[in-house]
């Protein structure tokens, strides 16, 4: 049995990474750095404007090496969690009301 990894979950040969992004990043787009399991490098991923909570991005061939088929790798599956602010001032709420349509 495998020990849980502190950063990734495994789904077959795929690696699942949960990326927490800000509400601002969700609305206007943002870049995230995703660690790679077999190196100290990171993978820079650009998320588009209006990235919703639960959005999934699949990066082919960045998962686990398939043991039965050498040279074949699973995918990196990035799931986005949007972090909402815990509070907003009256001024911030008024500004948002002006900016965002109903």
């Amino acid at each position: 049995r495998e020990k849980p990894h502190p950063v990734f979950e495994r789904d077959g040969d795929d690696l699942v990474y949960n990326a927490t992004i800000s509400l601002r990043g969700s609305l206007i787009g943002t870049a995230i750095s995703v660690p790679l399991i077999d190196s100290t490098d990171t993978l820079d991923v650009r998320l588009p404007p209006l990235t919703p909570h639960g959005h999934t991005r699949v990066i082919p061939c960045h998962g686990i090496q398939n043991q039965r088929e050498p040279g074949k790798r699973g995918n990196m599956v990035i799931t986005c969690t949007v972090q909402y602010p815990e509070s907003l001032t009256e001024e911030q709420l008024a500004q948002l009301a002006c900016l965002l349509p109903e």
Side-chain angles (χ1 to χ4, degrees):
R1 178 135 178 123
E2 292 180 12
K3 293 190 321 187
H5 192 275
V7 176
F8 301 104
E9 291 180 31
R10 186 171 179 176
D11 183 12
D13 291 339
D14 294 341
L15 289 175
V16 180
Y17 177 76
N18 185 39
T20 301
I21 61 173
S22 67
L23 177 60
R24 180 179 190 271
S26 167
L27 293 172
I28 66 170
T30 190
I32 59 172
S33 291
V34 179
L36 298 175
I37 193 142
D38 53 2
S39 79
T40 58
D41 292 338
T42 58
L43 185 64
D44 294 327
V45 177
R46 182 93 188 130
L47 299 173
L50 304 178
T51 297
H53 180 81
H55 173 77
T56 299
R57 169 78 63 89
V58 177
I59 310 296
C61 302
H62 279 83
I64 297 290
Q65 183 101 20
N66 186 300
Q67 296 299 316
R68 288 182 223 96
E69 297 180 56
K72 184 178 178 194
R73 294 182 76 102
N75 300 318
M76 172 78 70
V77 180
I78 302 166
T79 302
C80 298
T81 299
V82 177
Q83 185 174 33
Y84 291 88
E86 291 186 22
S87 65
L88 295 171
T89 65
E90 291 296 323
E91 181 181 350
Q92 290 170 323
L93 289 170
Q95 289 173 341
L96 284 172
C98 289
L99 289 173
L100 300 173
E102 284 201 33

